[in-house]
Amino acid sequence: MISNLAKIESLLYASGDQGVTLRQISQRTALTVAACRQLLEKLVEKYAQDEDSGLKVFVSDNVYRLGTKEELSELVGDYVNDAKPRVLSEAALETISIIMYNQPITRIEIDQIRGVNSSAILHRLVNQDLIEVTGIKDEVGNPKQYGITNFGLDYFGLKSLKDLPPLPKDEVLDDDTSDSLLTRFNKEIDQKN
């Protein structure tokens, strides 16, 4: 049988950054507000005393939320900033589009299509786990080949590369058409999401 403390803990976890009020906890658990307050105090104490737990209950304006202890803020902050890509720049979107339609592809091949050096963008996209090195091309210099990751596909709402919108036949990728293809690609991806 699941304890009331476990129920409250799971509600705190599920509420995320938004948190949950005593009244909401009371309604969901069918406990009185006073009983919920006592159990929350017990949970606060439990996390404070447990050195093996990285969790803490935060209280602000009668809203309770589960978070990590302050000592772990740098570790967690670094992970969150590295793990989740923010809004991608046009250059990053263009680079990912080129990779998805042409993978495996080298940086030099990407640079030729884009007309600019893509080293910094490729490094950022690899760190964000949107693309990955898929192999080494057997030619002078042994350049790395890039491809989209499963996380990258998921980021764009795709299950596989087969879900990409088709490129128009006989359309040459030059400076004028790459912008229109990128715009079209983004619109079709947005419609799928």
Side-chain angles (χ1 to χ4, degrees):
M1 179 154 183
I2 297 175
S3 73
N4 288 328
L5 194 63
K7 291 175 185 178
I8 290 174
E9 186 177 43
S10 65
L11 288 173
L12 286 170
Y13 174 78
S15 70
D17 289 338
Q18 182 179 355
V20 62
T21 65
L22 277 172
R23 180 175 296 221
Q24 290 170 322
I25 294 171
S26 174
Q27 290 171 342
R28 297 287 179 189
T29 60
L31 297 169
T32 66
V33 170
C36 291
R37 184 177 289 113
Q38 285 180 337
L39 287 169
L40 279 162
E41 288 171 6
K42 188 175 181 180
L43 198 56
V44 167
E45 187 177 318
K46 172 186 168 188
Y47 284 130
Q49 292 177 355
D50 188 354
E51 293 179 12
D52 291 326
S53 175
L55 300 177
K56 177 180 178 177
V57 176
F58 293 87
V59 184
S60 175
D61 295 331
N62 201 29
V63 175
Y64 294 80
R65 90 183 155 75
L66 193 59
T68 55
K69 291 180 179 173
E70 289 86 355
E71 315 78 277
L72 299 170
S73 62
E74 186 177 340
L75 172 74
V76 173
D78 288 346
Y79 171 76
V80 169
N81 289 334
D82 288 344
K84 288 199 170 186
R86 305 289 181 230
V87 175
L88 297 174
S89 66
E90 286 293 317
L93 288 170
E94 178 182 56
T95 303
I96 289 175
S97 298
I98 291 168
I99 291 169
M100 284 196 283
Y101 281 105
N102 297 287
Q103 72 178 356
I105 187 169
T106 66
R107 181 194 54 82
I108 293 169
E109 294 166 329
I110 295 167
D111 292 351
Q112 289 171 344
I113 295 170
R114 292 188 65 229
V116 295
N117 186 309
S118 303
S119 296
I121 290 174
L122 289 171
H123 180 73
R124 230 174 294 132
L125 294 173
V126 166
N127 285 340
Q128 293 175 329
D129 196 31
L130 293 168
I131 64 169
E132 64 187 349
V133 175
T134 58
I136 304 292
K137 194 165 187 177
D138 189 22
E139 63 180 39
V140 176
N142 297 321
K144 297 175 184 174
Q145 294 177 307
Y146 295 93
I148 191 82
T149 63
N150 287 333
F151 177 75
L153 287 171
D154 188 53
Y155 181 85
F156 290 101
L158 302 170
K159 291 182 180 151
S160 75
L161 291 174
K162 294 175 185 173
D163 295 334
L164 282 170
L167 282 173
K169 292 182 182 180
D170 302 327
E171 189 158 352
V172 178
L173 283 176
D174 59 23
D175 288 342
D176 295 331
T177 58
S178 65
D179 286 341
S180 65
L181 284 173
L182 182 60
T183 302
R184 209 173 329 149
F185 171 78
N186 288 330
K187 283 181 184 176
E188 290 193 34
I189 293 300
D190 286 342
Q191 288 173 353
K192 288 186 177 195
N193 294 331

